Amino acid sequence: MFGYLIRSVLQAIMVMVAVAFIAFSMFRYVGDPVASIVGQDATLKDREELAQSLGLNDPMVVQFGRFLGNAAKGDFGISYRQGRPVATLLRERLPATIELAVISAALALAVGLGLGIYTALRRDGWAANLVMSLSLIGVSLPTFLIGIGLIYFFGVVLRWLPTFGRGETVAFGWWTTGLLTESGRKSLILPVVTLGFYQLTLIMRLVRSEMLEVMRADYIRFARARGLTDSSINFRHALKNTMIPVVTITGMQLGSIVAFAITTETVFNWPGLGALFVKSVEVVDIPVMGAYLMFVGLIFVVVNLVVDMLYFLIDPRLSVGRTVATK
Amino acid sequence: MAAPKPTLRQRLNDSDLWLAFKDSPIAVAAAITTVLIFVLAFFAPVFAPQDAFNPAALNLMDGFSHPMERGAGSNMLFLLGSDAQGRDMLSALFYGTRVSLIVGLCSVGFSMVLGISLGLVAGYVGGRVEQLIMRIADIQLSFPGLLIALLIFGVARGLIPPNKHETTALFVIIFAIGLAHWAQYARTVRASAMVERNKDYVQAARLIGIKGLPIMAKHILPNVMGPVLVIATINLALAVIEEATLSFFGVGMPVTQPSLGTLIRFGQQYLMSGEWWILLFPALTIVILGLAINLLGDWLRDAMNPKLR
Amino acid sequence: MTQPVLSVRNLKVEFVTRRGTLRAIDDVSFDIAPGEVLGVVGESGAGKSLTGTAIIGLIDPPGRIAGGEILLQGKRIDNLDKESLRKIRGKRIGMIFQDPLTSLNPLFKISEQLVETIQTHSSMNASQARQRAIDLLIEVGIPAPEKRIDGYPHEFSGGMRQRVVIALALAAEPELIIADEPTTALDVSVQAQIITLLKKLCRERGTAVMLVTHDMGVIAETADRVAVMYAGRIAEIGPVREVVQHARHPYAKGLMGAIPTLEATASRLVQIPGSMPRLTAIPRGCAFNPRCSEVFARCHVERPEPMTVGKSEVACWLYDTKKEAAA
């Protein structure tokens, strides 16, 4: 049992290191760290001195180690464009993204799960077919168009909801939240719907297809042959068996919802990490890009680990012992 | 007395796929729509009333004409209206869709080639190489393609000098989006390869000294084309949407070679001031295109699923 | 004559596909007496499993019962509503499937699966049901049942699992058990044990058995009567000894001849040339006529009706009693 857990943790660390390496390579080799600091008319000697003091002539392993050490402390250098420490930028924008992501994820999960189960069980009903058709449209609509559409209808035409920004926020230490003010809550609605919609559609279709697959399994047939009631078969047996693949994939998807937030944040002018990332790509601000990559990598790895643990709890085949070989 | 061998035409006609296609009005509608859009887009110079992105062809006085209105300057009929510079929206749509489709198709082609190759190698060589490739594929699959494409785009931009940004934009985007989507092909192909590599003909080839890989490829590829096609179709819709998103952000196709996304980006400015048509039509086109391709892909997947037959 | 437990009259099962409507079971009739073991044999695709599935009412679309009647203790069950049918399953008709690995839900303990089945068909409380479950496990020969009962399916070997499956099928004391290839997925050494167990338990309880298999050896050992199916029709049905030792239908003769025996002096196994026709291309007249060594003109034109020969019924024009009577 412990073997499984330790393996999961080790894998997580390996992935993290790999991601860090990519970020490090970006920092070091794309663009010129020296040029971005000194400007155009520095002499060759000045540049070399700077390079030396930055440790740019050390062996790569050493530089990578230094990079990791700094990253662990939260030091990602200075933003090329904004001149401020990247870590500060990240911290300022983190709460906005987290709030948006978590609420969207919760919405997508709850509604997606419910609809997925419904459309699997009532697969021939007109309501189910309608939902499936709408979901297909949902997958085909680019998120930014949904955002624009929502802004237009609810913000411009109906004037019910604000169309950009977070509204007023309340600060707790370095964290800010929009949940405590009315304008803050109102500002959350459209972005949450936009971001959650795509996730919801994916989760719903996944749950539905997994459940349909499970309903065809032999053990469900045998359960039917034993005369078990529909509600027991659907909600006790089939549901539990559906959960395993669903947990894995849903977990990973929700883990990357932070990354999916890029589009939503841009459309709604939401002051989060995603919008920051897009700007940094526009101007090739490498430190910010690299730091964002590490952050997303971290979230992915952590969520993956949590999913592995959950998996372990749900599936007895992993935790209970091997087959006893008696006849 | 045996029946005469069926011709290719008869075999196609009798095939499950064709029967399923004829049966499904949605698939037929989706296919027709897709083909129509493709034709209009690729033959844009032929079909478009105006050479939309040639500044010499535009008349500023035509600007902001409403749909179905005649331009104040050139008296041309603008079926879908015109934008700020007198550009015919209909023509802009054709040219823009062409760019979008080129990016979509090329990036899907790139992903396919890359993914299939890596999948074959992984399946054939096995061992650590296989583990490595599959791990990377797994990780990449859980990140949105957009993020990866953005990242690659940013890095590429950093490496390319600024004056070359516009001219290389097309290639960079194709590369970025293509690189973001190879993983699914690799997975499918590798699964088939794993089954094949233990078969006798591969072992025999290896023993003789011939490389088993090309032989294995010859046997795997026909079998794997079905699922690959389904993935490719759905990927195409995804690629078109991703390109639109990137252009919408301002990091995609530039003004000189705009795609549907770029057009939407422009249109957004005018939405609030009332010239809604500049935004709406490119947006509608993307939605219809995406929907048609997705419907086809969905239908294709169901039709190829032996369990549902 | 006592009333048969099961009476199948002119059963027809169809599948509606893109290529047209396929008739998978075409006018099949037979009876099973109380406590009797009826073997149903035939090649893969002959319709044996499908017949069992039709009787217990578990045919999934696009398949459907297109005609005929199924009577349990003289009352029709093929036209019942869903809930009535559910009550019959498990309680009055039980079914065992081929693969014990996939018949049991891997996420539920054996105790849970047993207790649930028992409680569905009786009014026992949890502890009574659990005691009954343990008793059942003792009957099917699971050692140390009080401890093993809380295990998961993957902790049992193949043979053990099939015993659990039998326990589950017998839990509500049905009058008829349909066993669909119960030993095919098991090791040869285990097959005999399972068949013996099944036979013993059913004899003790007076349960009738419909034993579907392609293993003639099992039939010869276990069945009282046997029905030979071909292309969705019954070719021959009669007492086991008669059919095995003196098969009349050319197909049945071929089947029995293909069984290798220790006493036989032949150096080659008898083979029936050709293969069973696909459902889309069933020959006119007798379905077996393309492969039959004793075929004559009438076989190509009229489908043979079952004729009484000795204690069996044979669907073959070679035994046309009416013709002989008229001659």
Side-chain angles (χ1 to χ4, degrees):
Chain A
M1 168 175 142
F2 277 125
Y4 181 77
L5 292 177
I6 295 188
R7 249 181 300 141
S8 302
V9 172
L10 274 178
Q11 274 176 2
I13 298 184
M14 272 200 311
V15 171
M16 212 44 228
V17 168
V19 169
F21 187 69
I22 297 179
F24 165 70
S25 315
M26 282 167 51
F27 267 92
R28 181 69 190 81
Y29 298 109
V30 180
D32 189 352
V34 172
S36 61
I37 296 183
V38 291
Q40 298 235 320
D41 33 67
T43 64
L44 206 57
K45 186 156 168 297
D46 290 338
R47 287 180 199 260
E48 296 220 337
E49 275 177 11
L50 188 55
Q52 187 65 25
S53 73
L54 285 178
L56 294 176
N57 294 329
D58 294 337
M60 182 148 85
V61 184
V62 173
Q63 292 195 46
F64 186 41
R66 202 179 300 136
F67 176 79
L68 281 179
N70 283 339
K73 275 186 286 171
D75 178 10
F76 291 98
I78 314 272
S79 153
Y80 286 174
R81 245 329 164 89
Q82 304 203 25
R84 292 156 68 209
V86 174
T88 318
L89 281 173
L90 287 188
R91 208 170 45 185
E92 275 173 11
R93 302 202 143 217
L94 185 66
T97 300
I98 297 284
E99 254 183 24
L100 179 61
V102 168
I103 299 181
S104 304
L107 177 76
L109 196 58
V111 179
L113 207 63
L115 281 181
I117 298 176
Y118 176 75
T119 51
L121 292 180
R122 294 249 174 284
R123 69 184 294 205
D124 294 317
W126 62 267
N129 278 320
L130 182 65
V131 169
M132 285 307 291
S133 312
L134 286 178
S135 80
L136 195 59
I137 300 184
V139 172
S140 318
L141 271 179
T143 309
F144 70 93
L145 275 185
I146 298 181
I148 295 180
L150 285 177
I151 291 182
Y152 191 66
F153 278 116
F154 288 98
V156 175
V157 173
L158 292 174
R159 292 190 172 276
W160 283 353
L161 295 168
T163 58
F164 64 87
R166 279 179 90 187
E168 288 165 45
T169 56
V170 175
F172 290 101
W174 61 272
W175 189 273
T176 54
T177 175
L179 291 172
L180 296 176
T181 62
E182 197 190 327
S183 73
R185 283 193 292 269
K186 271 193 179 170
S187 304
L188 264 173
I189 297 181
L190 290 182
V192 160
V193 169
T194 309
L195 180 58
F197 187 67
Y198 185 70
Q199 299 289 327
L200 189 159
T201 327
L202 284 181
I203 292 180
M204 182 189 92
R205 305 184 93 206
L206 174 71
V207 167
R208 174 179 189 264
S209 89
E210 283 301 331
M211 195 151 189
L212 285 178
E213 190 75 28
V214 162
M215 299 290 270
R216 274 202 290 253
D218 275 349
Y219 51 83
I220 295 290
R221 266 181 92 206
F222 189 38
R224 282 235 171 78
R226 303 204 299 274
L228 297 183
T229 60
D230 269 356
S231 70
S232 165
I233 293 182
N234 291 338
F235 296 108
R236 208 170 103 105
H237 288 258
L239 196 56
K240 192 164 180 194
N241 290 87
T242 310
M243 276 307 124
I244 294 190
V246 165
V247 159
T248 322
I249 304 188
T250 307
M252 297 212 289
Q253 248 180 263
L254 291 179
S256 44
I257 205 176
V258 165
F260 276 111
I262 296 178
T263 323
T264 310
E265 289 185 14
T266 309
V267 170
F268 285 95
N269 255 318
W270 191 263
L273 292 172
L276 180 67
F277 181 62
V278 172
K279 290 234 178 50
S280 71
V281 169
E282 257 183 83
V283 301
V284 199
D285 190 345
I286 296 287
V288 175
M289 281 171 65
Y292 182 80
L293 178 65
M294 304 253 316
F295 174 69
V296 169
L298 182 67
I299 298 221
F300 166 77
V301 155
V302 165
V303 170
N304 227 18
L305 215 53
V306 168
V307 165
D308 275 348
M309 302 292 153
L310 268 179
Y311 213 90
F312 189 72
L313 286 174
I314 301 183
D315 189 345
R317 287 173 286 192
L318 292 171
S319 46
V320 189
R322 305 272 124 204
T323 312
V324 182
T326 48
K327 293 284 182 210
Chain B
M1 199 188 65
K5 254 188 114 163
T7 63
L8 181 64
R9 178 110 191 262
Q10 282 176 320
R11 273 169 52 203
L12 277 176
N13 257 347
D14 195 36
S15 79
D16 264 340
L17 208 61
W18 179 246
L19 284 171
F21 185 69
K22 279 194 299 180
D23 264 347
S24 167
I26 294 185
V28 174
I32 293 183
T33 312
T34 311
V35 169
L36 193 65
I37 295 183
F38 268 64
V39 166
L40 286 176
F42 280 111
F43 292 106
V46 173
F47 288 110
Q50 184 192 66
D51 186 4
F53 295 105
N54 181 354
L58 305 177
N59 185 332
L60 218 54
M61 299 291 285
D62 285 337
F64 293 125
S65 310
H66 286 248
M68 300 306 286
E69 202 183 55
R70 287 199 175 276
S74 68
N75 210 31
M76 184 180 138
L77 177 63
F78 291 109
L79 280 172
L80 297 180
S82 71
D83 71 358
Q85 285 138 326
R87 187 172 290 123
D88 173 33
M89 286 313 297
L90 186 65
S91 313
L93 269 187
F94 289 169
Y95 282 101
T97 311
R98 182 160 76 155
V99 174
S100 292
L101 282 177
I102 290 180
V103 172
L105 288 169
C106 291
S107 62
V108 166
F110 179 44
S111 305
M112 235 199 308
V113 168
L114 185 63
I116 293 183
S117 314
L118 282 176
L120 275 176
V121 167
Y124 181 72
V125 174
R128 289 208 168 253
V129 171
E130 179 184 17
Q131 296 275 14
L132 183 66
I133 295 183
M134 284 302 123
R135 272 269 118 203
I136 300 181
D138 280 342
I139 296 178
Q140 190 173 331
L141 275 174
S142 50
F143 283 104
L146 194 64
L147 175 60
I148 299 175
L150 267 173
L151 204 62
I152 296 175
F153 193 86
V155 167
R157 258 217 177 154
L159 296 172
I160 300 177
N163 56 348
K164 294 254 179 56
H165 276 176
E166 268 194 17
T167 47
T168 55
L170 186 64
F171 299 104
V172 173
I173 288 204
I174 292 178
F175 181 69
I177 298 183
L179 203 58
H181 288 291
W182 62 270
Q184 261 189 300
Y185 302 101
R187 261 217 196 143
T188 313
V189 171
R190 173 248 193 180
S192 287
M194 270 187 2
V195 171
E196 292 293 308
R197 77 169 163 221
N198 290 322
K199 291 207 178 149
D200 288 340
Y201 70 91
V202 176
Q203 309 280 31
R206 267 176 146 148
L207 279 174
I208 303 179
I210 309 176
K211 289 211 181 294
L213 189 55
I215 303 181
M216 193 174 75
K218 208 175 75 145
H219 281 255
I220 293 181
L221 286 178
N223 282 340
V224 101
M225 265 311 139
V228 161
L229 206 61
V230 173
I231 298 176
T233 314
I234 298 185
N235 249 354
L236 181 60
L238 209 62
V240 166
I241 292 180
E242 257 169 38
E243 183 279 321
T245 313
L246 286 177
S247 301
F248 175 74
F249 284 162
V251 294
M253 295 308 294
V255 180
T256 47
Q257 239 186 330
S259 68
L260 287 172
T262 327
L263 292 177
I264 295 182
R265 183 153 180 250
F266 291 145
Q268 203 194 10
Q269 312 168 298
Y270 302 109
L271 187 64
M272 314 300 180
S273 54
E275 287 88 17
W276 49 269
W277 57 90
I278 307 183
L279 174 80
L280 182 66
F281 294 117
L284 265 182
T285 311
I286 286 223
V287 173
I288 294 178
L289 186 61
L291 195 58
I293 299 181
N294 260 335
L295 275 173
L296 261 185
D298 242 21
W299 167 84
L300 201 63
R301 182 183 44 208
D302 284 345
M304 295 220 173
N305 186 347
K307 294 188 218 158
L308 294 179
R309 287 221 189 116
Chain C
M1 250 271 280
T2 47
Q3 175 170 257
V5 158
L6 182 74
S7 201
V8 174
R9 306 259 162 84
N10 308 106
L11 181 64
K12 300 181 185 59
V13 171
E14 288 178 346
F15 283 85
V16 184
T17 70
R18 284 181 213 138
R19 293 176 186 283
T21 303
L22 306 175
R23 183 140 311 161
I25 296 185
D26 197 354
D27 206 352
V28 157
S29 306
F30 59 88
D31 287 345
I32 304 185
E36 173 181 47
V37 177
L38 174 73
V40 180
V41 298
E43 296 169 55
S44 300
K48 346 184 266 295
S49 300
L50 197 55
T51 311
T53 315
I55 293 175
I56 202 170
L58 281 181
I59 296 197
D60 290 324
R64 62 196 190 101
I65 298 184
E69 299 180 341
I70 303 176
L71 299 119
L72 183 65
Q73 303 283 14
K75 296 234 188 68
R76 273 188 78 169
I77 58 171
D78 56 290
N79 57 355
L80 291 177
D81 62 288
K82 270 181 71 175
E83 180 61 13
S84 311
L85 205 49
R86 179 193 75 76
K87 294 215 186 93
I88 290 183
R89 284 191 223 121
K91 181 109 184 95
R92 304 189 61 201
I93 305 182
M95 190 156 178
I96 300 176
F97 295 99
Q98 178 174 324
D99 192 348
L101 178 56
T102 55
S103 293
L104 297 171
N105 193 327
L107 301 182
F108 287 89
K109 296 185 200 158
I110 303 289
S111 56
E112 289 170 326
Q113 303 192 49
L114 272 166
V115 165
E116 181 182 22
T117 308
I118 293 171
Q119 286 191 300
T120 304
H121 294 291
S122 71
S123 49
M124 292 190 210
N125 65 30
S127 59
Q128 289 170 326
R130 188 184 164 89
Q131 187 51 50
R132 167 124 175 89
I134 294 179
D135 292 337
L136 277 168
L137 287 183
I138 296 177
E139 275 196 74
V140 297
I142 306 266
E146 309 82 17
K147 275 188 270 161
R148 306 292 311 268
I149 195 176
D150 287 316
Y152 287 93
H154 69 274
E155 295 176 89
F156 290 72
S157 69
M160 287 280 134
R161 274 185 229 126
Q162 195 66 312
R163 290 174 193 260
V164 170
V165 165
I166 293 177
L168 276 165
L170 288 172
E173 305 288 334
E175 299 143 46
L176 168 70
I177 292 259
I178 303 174
D180 190 355
E181 312 258 14
T183 53
T184 311
L186 299 173
D187 286 342
V188 174
S189 52
V190 176
Q191 284 180 9
Q193 293 175 20
I194 297 295
I195 284 293
T196 316
L197 174 70
L198 190 60
K199 196 168 168 185
K200 164 174 164 271
L201 290 175
C202 290
R203 196 133 285 174
E204 281 170 9
R205 288 164 159 78
T207 314
V209 179
M210 176 177 154
L211 182 56
V212 174
T213 178
H214 58 261
D215 187 341
M216 283 307 307
V218 165
I219 293 294
E221 287 282 313
T222 329
D224 301 314
R225 285 165 65 232
V226 62
V228 178
M229 284 189 74
Y230 186 79
R233 308 162 181 190
I234 294 189
E236 183 165 346
I237 178 169
V240 128
R241 201 142 287 183
E242 244 185 59
V243 177
V244 172
Q245 289 173 355
H246 308 291
R248 279 138 186 147
H249 194 287
Y251 175 65
K253 258 197 265 188
L255 263 192
M256 306 305 154
I259 305 171
T261 58
L262 288 176
E263 302 95 36
T265 46
S267 52
R268 304 185 72 193
L269 285 179
V270 175
Q271 252 194 343
I272 313 175
S275 56
M276 207 167 61
R278 299 180 67 182
L279 284 180
T280 45
I282 296 192
R284 195 160 157 237
C286 172
F288 189 58
N289 69 47
R291 305 166 72 189
C292 185
S293 52
E294 298 172 62
V295 65
F296 53 94
R298 194 172 182 197
C299 308
H300 292 286
V301 174
E302 269 183 83
R303 181 183 158 174
E305 299 152 20
M307 325 272 181
T308 312
V309 183
K311 297 212 206 90
S312 315
E313 293 198 347
V314 187
C316 178
W317 291 127
L318 285 171
Y319 301 93
D320 186 0
T321 44
K322 295 191 209 107
K323 189 163 146 233
E324 282 169 24

